[in-house]
Amino acid sequence: MKAKFIVGLLSLALCSTAVITSSAQEKKKETVGETVDKTGKAIGKTATKVGNKTAEVAVKGGAKVVDQTYKGKMAPDGSNVYIDGKNNKYYINKKGAKVYLKAAQIRNKPETNP
């Protein structure tokens, strides 16, 4: 009788330990939909960055060919200033858009000493 009682108590302790440890290790698993959403958002952000950079490079290339560069001057963000055919001054922002400048916004480039 003592042996059956001890074996029963021991088996009860092992079962309860197994249940407690399995529930303690339970983690929230992501569903397929959540994973797809995260991946889709990451791809969307990267595609936007690539698109903006492509637009910036394309517009800058076109500006260098078509318009004149305002020598010795820079935009508020430190980039080149271009002059179009109507004598308007502008620079190209990070999204590839032309941002027209007022005379007060154009700054002199710092001189570099060798």
Side-chain angles (χ1 to χ4, degrees):
M1 173 120 168
K2 277 188 172 181
K4 286 184 181 179
F5 181 72
I6 292 175
V7 170
L9 189 61
L10 185 61
S11 63
L12 181 64
L14 287 174
C15 290
S16 64
T17 305
V19 170
I20 291 172
T21 57
S22 67
S23 65
Q25 293 177 355
E26 202 172 298
K27 294 181 182 177
K28 181 185 175 201
K29 296 181 180 178
E30 290 184 2
T31 63
V32 174
E34 291 173 346
T35 305
V36 169
D37 287 344
K38 285 183 182 179
T39 305
K41 288 179 184 177
I43 290 171
K45 287 180 182 179
T46 304
T48 303
K49 288 179 185 177
V50 169
N52 287 342
K53 190 64 177 178
T54 303
E56 179 186 5
V57 170
V59 173
K60 280 186 178 180
K64 287 185 186 228
V65 171
V66 176
D67 297 330
Q68 295 177 345
T69 304
Y70 201 173
K71 300 207 185 275
K73 302 292 182 177
M74 67 180 190
D77 69 347
S79 62
N80 289 335
V81 176
Y82 300 98
I83 305 171
D84 65 5
K86 297 179 182 177
N87 204 25
N88 295 322
K89 282 81 173 171
Y90 68 92
Y91 74 98
I92 297 155
N93 68 6
K94 297 291 181 190
K95 293 185 177 183
K98 292 181 180 180
V99 179
Y100 288 93
L101 299 168
K102 296 178 183 175
Q105 294 174 311
I106 300 171
R107 303 183 312 193
N108 292 327
K109 281 189 179 177
E111 294 181 20
T112 57
N113 294 327

